[in-house]
Amino acid sequence: MLGINLKVGVEATLQRLNAHSKGRQFKNLQFIWGYPTAAISESRQGVTVYLPHIDEAKAVPDGLLHRLVGYVCHELGHHWFTASSLWHNAVHNAGDDKFLHGLINGLEDPRIEKKVIRSNFAGNSRNLFEGLVNHVVGAELPTDFDNIPFILAVEGRRLNGYDILAKQTYQTTPWASDLEWALTEAHTALDTRAIIEIAKELAKRLQEKPKGGEQGQPGEQGEQGEQGQPGEQGQPGEGGEQPGEGKGKGKGKGEGKGKGKGRSSDPTDWIGDELGQHQTEAQQKGSVSAIIEPTFYHFN
């Protein structure tokens, strides 16, 4: 399909889901294409979905439509089920510990997706989430220390019942028992507070384990969730880290930006990376303005 048809399809699908949602309908759902990263914000006027540019005149994979809809459903899950104040406090208290940020995200994402599935907001949300994560993972899961947050994000979804095509690999690592403990605890966690405590305990346990070879150390994980939250009036804001808002500038599938070798566990990075492959040169350089819904005037 062409990029323009993708944009129309994404907006129409989500508008239809919103119109038929039970108890979770937004009074206004707006889309802005051309924001530096994917994000969602809420104001008194409604909810705004921000997505990066895409070349409207070029062909894009049909599966990208499902992955984009799945991504927005995922972000709505954070909007509904992540306690932002607790997440903010955990990030603030952790300082520059990006590894702990990654652990929290890697454990929280499967939890909120399970809540979205049970909410019946989108009847096929499980299939959408499953397709997105399989597209990113590919044929093989990593086993190195830097990729622990990514492993948690994938294996937590496997516990949700997703058919993950890549075989489990974490059992072969020196941290298998600790990861097993964290995944089991997170699978039954009731809220964000519990997830944060599990992530902190896991980080403590991992600090006591030998890393071995050239595998990374805690704190070297790629940056996660540092993009500013869009402002209340549909404009990009400044500062304020949010769950599920990464920079999305990594190279290759799910490789978030940062000093570490780990693949990003944040679906925002996954979508940002893929959309970046379907942009014009001008869009990639940032010389094209954001595109919002046009206003039509009728003259008598």
Side-chain angles (χ1 to χ4, degrees), residues 43-285:
S43 69
R44 296 172 184 173
Q45 288 73 36
V47 169
T48 302
V49 177
Y50 296 80
L51 292 167
H53 273 302
I54 192 164
D55 188 344
E56 296 181 349
K58 294 292 181 65
V60 297
D62 291 346
L64 182 54
L65 170 62
H66 302 103
R67 290 190 287 277
L68 276 173
V69 173
Y71 165 74
V72 175
C73 288
H74 170 91
E75 286 303 302
L76 288 175
H78 279 302
H79 174 79
W80 291 322
F81 304 118
T82 291
S84 295
S85 59
L86 295 178
W87 196 94
H88 274 295
N89 290 337
V91 169
H92 176 76
N93 293 334
D96 294 329
D97 190 350
K98 302 300 179 184
F99 187 76
L100 178 58
H101 299 184
L103 295 180
I104 295 172
N105 283 342
L107 294 171
E108 174 76 342
D109 281 355
R111 185 189 73 83
I112 61 102
E113 285 189 3
K114 181 168 65 173
K115 298 280 284 185
V116 172
I117 293 169
R118 292 179 176 178
S119 75
N120 292 319
F121 172 75
N124 66 334
S125 56
R126 172 177 158 174
N127 292 333
L128 294 172
F129 296 148
E130 185 177 285
L132 176 59
V133 69
N134 273 317
H135 177 76
V136 173
V137 172
E140 187 176 358
L141 276 164
T143 57
D144 59 293
F145 191 92
D146 285 311
N147 275 299
I148 286 178
F150 183 75
I151 295 169
L152 293 172
V154 175
E155 295 301 338
R157 288 170 167 92
R158 199 192 302 268
L159 284 177
N160 283 351
Y162 301 6
D163 183 13
I164 305 297
L165 301 181
K167 293 183 179 179
Q168 285 185 336
T169 56
Y170 76 88
Q171 295 97 332
T172 65
T173 70
W175 326 285
S177 60
D178 298 310
L179 300 189
E180 182 78 22
W181 169 83
L183 288 166
T184 302
E185 292 294 313
H187 186 61
T188 57
L190 298 179
D191 51 31
T192 304
R193 186 186 301 275
I195 290 292
I196 292 171
E197 293 306 314
I198 294 166
K200 288 180 178 178
E201 174 62 23
L202 177 60
K204 180 180 177 181
R205 294 187 183 195
L206 292 174
Q207 288 278 5
E208 301 169 354
K209 298 285 184 176
K211 309 304 180 295
E214 297 181 355
Q215 293 164 341
Q217 302 292 323
E220 294 183 355
Q221 175 68 16
E223 297 178 13
Q224 308 223 6
E226 292 193 347
Q227 183 63 40
Q229 182 183 4
E232 280 198 358
Q233 300 304 321
Q235 298 295 330
E238 295 182 358
E241 296 179 277
Q242 293 290 327
E245 293 184 9
K247 290 191 175 182
K249 298 292 184 183
K251 297 179 181 179
K253 292 183 178 180
E255 296 180 11
K257 193 175 182 180
K259 296 180 181 179
K261 302 175 184 178
R263 298 171 64 180
S264 173
S265 62
D266 191 342
T268 295
D269 288 336
W270 304 347
I271 287 299
D273 291 345
E274 187 169 8
L275 287 182
Q277 301 169 24
H278 302 288
Q279 296 177 345
T280 66
E281 184 176 349
Q283 289 171 341
Q284 291 174 346
K285 292 180 178 179

